[in-house]
Amino acid sequence: RIFVLGIGFFTLCFLMTSLGGQFSAKRLGDSPFTIRTEVMGALESRGVLRRMSDMLEMLMKRMDILARLENSTDFHKGDEARFPLDRFQPAAGLMERIQAIAQNVSDIAIKVDQILRNSLLNGKVAEGRRDQCEVPRDPKYPDCAGKVEWMRARWTSDPCYAFFGVDGTECSFLIYLSEVEWFCPPLPWRNRTAALPSPPPLPQVQAAFRSDLAHLLELIGTGKESLSFMKKRIRHLAQQWLRAARRLEQKLKDRQRDQKHILIHIGFLTEESGDVFSPRVLKGGPLGEMVQWADILAALFLLGHSLRVTVSLKELQSHLGVPPGRGNCPLTSPLPFDLIYTDYHGLQQMKQHMGLSFKKYRCRVRVIDTFGTEPAYNHEEYATLRGYRTNWGYWNLQPTQFMTMFPHTPDNSFMGFVSEELNKTERQLIKASKVSGMAVVYGKEASIWKGKEKFLAILNKYMEIHGTVYYETQRPPEVPAFVKNHGLLPQHEFQQLLRKAKLFIGFGFPYEGPAPLEAIANGCVFLQARFNPPHSSLNHEFFRGKPTSREVSSQHPYAEDFIGKPHVWTVDYNNSEEFEAAIKTIMRTQVDPYLPYEYTCEGMLERIHAYIQHQDFCTTSSPPLPPKAKSPAMQSPLSPLALSPNATHLVWSPSASRDPHAWPPVDSLQVWVSETHHACTETCRRRGLVCEPTFFRFLNKKEVFLQLSITCDSTEYEMNHLYPAVAENVHECYLQKEPLLFSCAGYNTKYRRLCPCRDYRKGQVALCRDCL
């Protein structure tokens, strides 16, 4: 009996302790989760009181059973087993006390239940809402009921819902879905004036060119080898950047430019993405991305814009205003940035943590994308249905929001980077110090040299071969003994090596890096391999999974197509005779240092300035009105286009209206019909033009086929990245149903495509003649 009484006493103590914990009140405003804590605590407290009353009642019944059992046994017989009767006298008092406590607890439970009901009712009245909310039936909000159903089942899955006041009631679901998200209509009984007003927009400040890069170096920060590399590069090119900024400032002649608030989030340097680059900076790893990011930072800063730089997920969340939780809720306030420059890793991180705000603000994003993303891979539904789905595409952005290292396809914007520009004295000095029998191999990793013994042996007959292969002292690199390996060199020492060399030779990898342009700018001839068949995502492991079907005909297509001989030689390395003949010719050829204007500091500043001023993906533009004048023969009154004087292509009609804010200007447009085996990129290039995807909207009309004398027995709208096009053998014409699929890339032998082309500035393929 003592044992049972002890258990009962300790049970009572435990229950009273639990009751005290449940009623430890929190003050309003202690935390963003106060509302949820208060409601849940009240409900749990009421349940505990009821359980206490039930357990005490059960305890009383069991003690009563023990008392009856005692009276019916010989428990008190035997002196050795007998307990003094007076020891059990207090038991009766304890029984009475427990019975009184049980009654009190029962009374308390009833009173607490009444208090909770009254407080919840009064709270709802105070907030101006009914005790029970019904899901509104509004055809303008068809997803409301489904979203409420989801909230019922999943509102506890992310703490961010509680942060915005969701507490499990129907009313809190509807308030959240109408005021934080936008799936339900505003509730008429809500006091909208009580909501905090949105912060006023920041005042527009005019951007002014900067003349000092010191503050930018502070913004970049420290702590990573990658950041140190970028800061060294900015310091090294500082004087060239500053001179270029002064020249562009004079060229723009005090033109008004709004200062943009820009976030630069370098996602591949965050710990969450692995940051594989920082440890490899000192070991000869690929530096092309960091070269480009350093130059982007310098250009944006010198143009006078307000920058924030992040290389961590925590900083990104802080700058964006991400609510606490797992990223399912929208941002807590309007996005404070006009533009966000990031990469694919950063894009994924933003989508995970911005909730619905990502869809709202993704038009402000610019994605630095080394190899490019073609429209067929960018459109999620189309990519999934047609087999273009990869790990890197399907974002449904405007394709020109992707910014590439080289002008691969006009579907994306060409961002680029810069190479060091030489003055007249330096150019003369380099020409005088060239060693005609010296070659430098492109490749910092020993794996690049494997299997190249045949080419190296031929080259060694004519030239002294130098390498810059990274190695550790205890493990020399696996390169031939006749190669003079300098190990990994700092950038300025590598530049000095290039200034002496006659030849810079590539063995097929790495693809499309900055080094060949640096070599050509330092007076080297670049020799590279021709790929036959061309490498692509369909036949080569390196490109597999990348969001492009681009066929790469050589190690560096830009150098082959935009520079060419005598600076760039592309030969078949499988043909030893052709390879050896090229080396002999190169040794006799004299070349001057050459750098395309678009890879100078001024060229990059000019290009980024034009993008910031004119690219706007947050507002949609509609085609201009057709010409009002009487249309001549072969011109449809519904089209702003007219047949050219030589009747080979269409041009913008002089009588058609044009939007003065349209960019590129519409009068730069020419419409050509491709051959069946040519993409629009190739079609325009063969005419000294460049394909302009923003002009597709003017071609995507049935009347344009008529103007070009193309017979259409039928015309259909479909989703296809090759449309508008015509299948001539069956006289079927096709128009584009999905604007995101307008694409300069791609061809099919079945179709001849309608291609929008434009002119471009000399040395600046990204901009038309009047685009600055």
Side-chain angles (χ1 to χ4, degrees):
R1 192 192 300 181
I2 289 176
F3 175 76
V4 173
L5 288 173
I7 293 295
F9 179 73
F10 284 114
T11 301
L12 178 63
C13 293
F14 171 75
L15 289 171
M16 294 301 292
T17 303
S18 300
L19 181 63
Q22 289 293 334
F23 279 98
S24 58
K26 285 190 176 183
R27 291 173 302 172
L28 287 175
D30 281 350
S31 110
F33 303 95
T34 297
I35 296 175
R36 181 183 172 192
T37 304
E38 293 294 326
V39 174
M40 294 303 294
L43 296 175
E44 290 172 6
S45 298
R46 181 166 54 189
V48 168
L49 288 168
R50 288 174 178 169
R51 288 196 298 271
M52 280 183 62
S53 179
D54 293 342
M55 292 180 70
L56 286 169
E57 185 178 352
M58 181 65 68
L59 183 61
M60 292 291 298
K61 288 180 180 178
R62 290 183 179 180
M63 291 182 68
D64 186 57
I65 291 171
L66 281 173
R68 288 199 302 270
L69 183 64
E70 179 186 32
N71 294 332
S72 62
T73 64
D74 295 331
F75 187 78
H76 296 290
K77 292 181 180 180
D79 294 337
E80 69 278 9
R82 179 174 295 181
F83 294 91
L85 189 59
D86 57 354
R87 291 189 181 184
F88 291 92
Q89 293 302 321
L94 179 63
M95 290 279 290
E96 293 175 359
R97 289 192 184 97
I98 293 175
Q99 191 170 10
I101 290 172
Q103 183 61 45
N104 288 337
V105 167
S106 178
D107 295 340
I108 291 172
I110 295 171
K111 291 180 180 178
V112 167
D113 188 64
Q114 293 173 347
I115 292 171
L116 288 175
R117 290 179 181 277
N118 291 334
S119 65
L120 286 174
L121 181 60
N122 292 335
K124 290 180 180 180
V125 172
E127 292 180 13
R129 66 184 184 183
R130 295 190 298 270
D131 184 50
Q132 190 173 12
C133 296
E134 295 182 0
V135 179
R137 305 294 178 183
D138 189 331
K140 295 179 181 178
Y141 299 88
D143 299 323
C144 183
K147 291 293 180 179
V148 171
E149 189 67 29
W150 187 94
M151 291 290 287
R152 288 192 194 109
R154 301 293 303 277
W155 75 273
T156 59
S157 63
D158 194 325
C160 71
Y161 296 118
F163 173 83
F164 283 109
V166 177
D167 58 13
T169 63
E170 293 287 293
C171 293
S172 68
F173 297 155
L174 290 171
I175 292 171
Y176 175 83
L177 291 171
S178 62
E179 297 178 15
V180 180
E181 297 184 5
W182 46 87
F183 292 105
C184 295
L187 301 175
W189 46 267
R190 285 285 288 174
N191 184 6
R192 303 297 295 154
T193 58
L196 292 175
S198 300
L202 295 173
Q204 286 292 351
V205 178
Q206 289 301 303
F209 282 90
R210 292 190 173 99
S211 57
D212 186 1
L213 287 163
H215 182 55
L216 173 62
L217 300 177
E218 295 176 8
L219 285 174
I220 293 174
T222 58
K224 291 179 179 286
E225 290 294 341
S226 301
L227 300 179
S228 299
F229 172 87
M230 288 191 274
K231 289 165 76 171
K232 287 178 182 177
R233 176 175 175 82
I234 292 171
R235 277 193 291 262
H236 178 69
L237 295 173
Q239 292 307 310
Q240 293 199 24
W241 277 117
L242 294 173
R243 286 194 297 269
R246 287 193 293 268
R247 289 195 297 266
L248 181 59
E249 185 176 16
Q250 294 172 359
K251 188 185 298 184
L252 295 178
K253 298 177 181 178
D254 298 325
R255 192 176 304 174
Q256 295 294 304
R257 299 182 301 118
D258 290 338
Q259 185 186 64
K260 304 294 184 181
H261 296 272
I262 301 176
L263 175 66
I264 296 99
H265 176 62
I266 310 176
F268 74 85
L269 292 183
T270 60
E271 298 300 328
E272 289 76 12
S273 67
D275 188 14
V276 296
F277 284 87
S278 290
R280 300 177 66 185
V281 169
L282 301 179
K283 298 183 179 180
L287 303 179
E289 287 88 348
M290 282 175 284
V291 164
Q292 188 181 32
W293 275 108
D295 296 345
I296 291 170
L297 285 165
L300 291 172
F301 184 79
L302 287 173
L303 287 169
H305 299 293
S306 174
L307 307 184
R308 289 289 180 272
V309 183
T310 69
V311 291
S312 78
L313 184 57
K314 186 176 181 180
E315 288 178 331
L316 174 68
Q317 293 173 319
S318 174
H319 286 308
L320 294 179
V322 174
R326 301 187 179 94
N328 290 309
C329 299
L331 301 182
T332 57
S333 58
L335 186 70
F337 299 103
D338 302 301
L339 294 170
I340 299 177
Y341 286 81
T342 189
D343 52 25
Y344 262 122
H345 294 283
L347 195 64
Q348 184 66 44
Q349 291 167 352
M350 289 167 57
K351 183 178 181 181
Q352 288 175 347
H353 294 277
M354 290 176 67
L356 290 175
S357 293
F358 178 78
K359 184 176 181 181
K360 180 179 180 181
Y361 293 120
R362 64 183 176 183
C363 60
R364 303 188 191 184
V365 174
R366 306 293 183 266
V367 184
I368 307 304
D369 177 11
T370 303
F371 292 96
T373 299
E374 294 175 1
Y377 296 82
N378 170 64
H379 191 280
E380 184 174 15
E381 179 186 357
Y382 185 77
T384 304
L385 292 174
R386 300 295 185 93
Y388 292 103
R389 183 79 180 235
T390 70
N391 291 333
W392 301 104
Y394 64 83
W395 286 93
N396 291 326
L397 300 177
Q398 292 292 334
T400 39
Q401 287 179 256
F402 297 98
M403 298 186 146
T404 58
M405 186 174 283
F406 293 95
H408 306 305
T409 168
D411 292 324
N412 304 145
S413 298
F414 164 45
M415 171 58 75
F417 57 94
V418 305
S419 288
E420 191 166 357
E421 200 172 358
L422 305 176
N423 58 38
K424 187 175 181 180
T425 302
E426 290 171 326
R427 293 164 65 91
Q428 293 297 328
L429 186 61
I430 285 176
K431 290 180 68 176
S433 61
K434 282 291 178 184
V435 179
S436 61
M438 178 178 173
V440 176
V441 174
Y442 181 19
K444 302 174 184 177
E445 298 179 5
S447 59
I448 295 172
W449 297 64
K450 291 181 180 179
K452 308 301 188 300
E453 293 79 6
K454 181 180 179 182
F455 310 121
L456 291 169
I458 295 174
L459 182 61
N460 189 46
K461 289 167 41 179
Y462 301 96
M463 291 185 167
E464 181 181 80
I465 305 174
H466 293 250
T468 58
V469 183
Y470 169 80
Y471 67 95
E472 298 172 354
T473 54
Q474 66 272 24
R475 293 184 61 189
E478 300 176 6
V479 297
F482 54 77
V483 174
K484 184 178 180 180
N485 184 35
H486 299 261
L488 186 63
L489 294 177
Q491 188 69 12
H492 69 279
E493 293 185 26
F494 180 62
Q495 294 275 357
Q496 295 301 320
L497 189 66
L498 292 176
R499 292 183 178 189
K500 294 180 181 178
K502 173 73 173 180
L503 177 67
F504 189 63
I505 181 171
F507 287 127
F509 190 83
Y511 296 101
E512 302 178 302
L517 288 187
E518 294 177 352
I520 296 167
N522 282 288
C524 294
V525 173
F526 177 52
L527 177 64
Q528 64 172 347
R530 178 182 297 114
F531 300 148
N532 189 17
H535 292 177
S536 71
S537 58
L538 302 178
N539 64 9
H540 200 274
E541 188 61 33
F542 179 83
F543 291 100
R544 190 163 290 121
K546 291 183 170 56
T548 172
S549 298
R550 183 165 55 95
E551 295 181 334
V552 179
S553 58
S554 63
Q555 182 175 352
H556 207 289
Y558 176 84
E560 178 186 6
D561 296 334
F562 289 86
I563 301 177
K565 293 181 180 180
H567 302 279
V568 179
W569 290 65
T570 306
V571 300
D572 183 3
Y573 278 24
N574 293 320
N575 187 328
S576 299
E577 294 179 357
E578 183 182 354
F579 179 77
E580 189 168 359
I583 293 174
K584 291 178 180 179
T585 306
I586 289 170
M587 291 187 68
R588 298 191 301 266
T589 304
Q590 296 293 324
V591 296
D592 293 328
Y594 172 72
L595 180 62
Y597 174 74
E598 54 201 356
Y599 284 97
T600 65
C601 291
E602 185 177 353
M604 187 168 184
L605 283 169
E606 184 179 277
R607 192 164 56 250
I608 294 182
H609 156 74
Y611 289 154
I612 291 176
Q613 289 298 112
H614 300 293
Q615 283 187 337
D616 182 3
F617 303 111
C618 297
T619 57
T620 56
S621 56
S622 57
L625 296 173
K628 297 180 180 179
K630 292 183 179 180
S631 57
M634 300 305 299
Q635 180 181 340
S636 166
L638 299 178
S639 172
L641 304 174
L643 198 64
S644 65
N646 59 6
T648 58
H649 61 282
L650 300 180
V651 295
W652 195 262
S653 171
S655 57
S657 63
R658 51 175 62 90
D659 182 357
H661 301 291
W663 194 85
V666 291
D667 52 7
S668 65
L669 168 64
Q670 297 183 27
V671 183
W672 292 83
V673 183
S674 77
E675 300 297 327
T676 54
H677 56 286
H678 284 170
C680 285
T681 304
E682 179 66 18
T683 299
C684 296
R685 183 184 299 159
R686 285 171 174 256
R687 289 160 178 83
L689 304 169
V690 64
C691 181
E692 178 51 62
T694 60
F695 286 157
F696 268 112
R697 57 196 177 106
F698 303 124
L699 282 58
N700 199 43
K701 300 176 181 178
K702 184 177 180 179
E703 294 77 19
V704 176
F705 291 111
L706 177 63
Q707 291 179 267
L708 289 165
S709 301
I710 295 174
T711 302
C712 298
D713 290 343
S714 64
T715 305
E716 298 180 13
Y717 278 87
E718 293 183 13
M719 281 203 314
N720 191 308
H721 69 286
L722 302 180
Y723 295 166
V726 56
E728 284 193 321
N729 55 337
V730 291
H731 302 293
E732 293 177 350
C733 297
Y734 300 93
L735 298 174
Q736 181 60 256
K737 184 179 179 180
E738 172 52 68
L740 283 181
L741 287 173
F742 284 137
S743 176
C744 292
Y747 68 89
N748 187 308
T749 54
K750 177 182 176 182
Y751 301 117
R752 296 184 69 192
R753 302 188 57 191
L754 300 189
C755 299
C757 307
R758 63 160 169 82
D759 56 33
Y760 59 91
R761 295 165 62 86
K762 184 178 180 181
Q764 185 73 287
V765 70
L767 304 179
C768 68
R769 291 171 189 165
D770 298 323
C771 278
L772 188 58

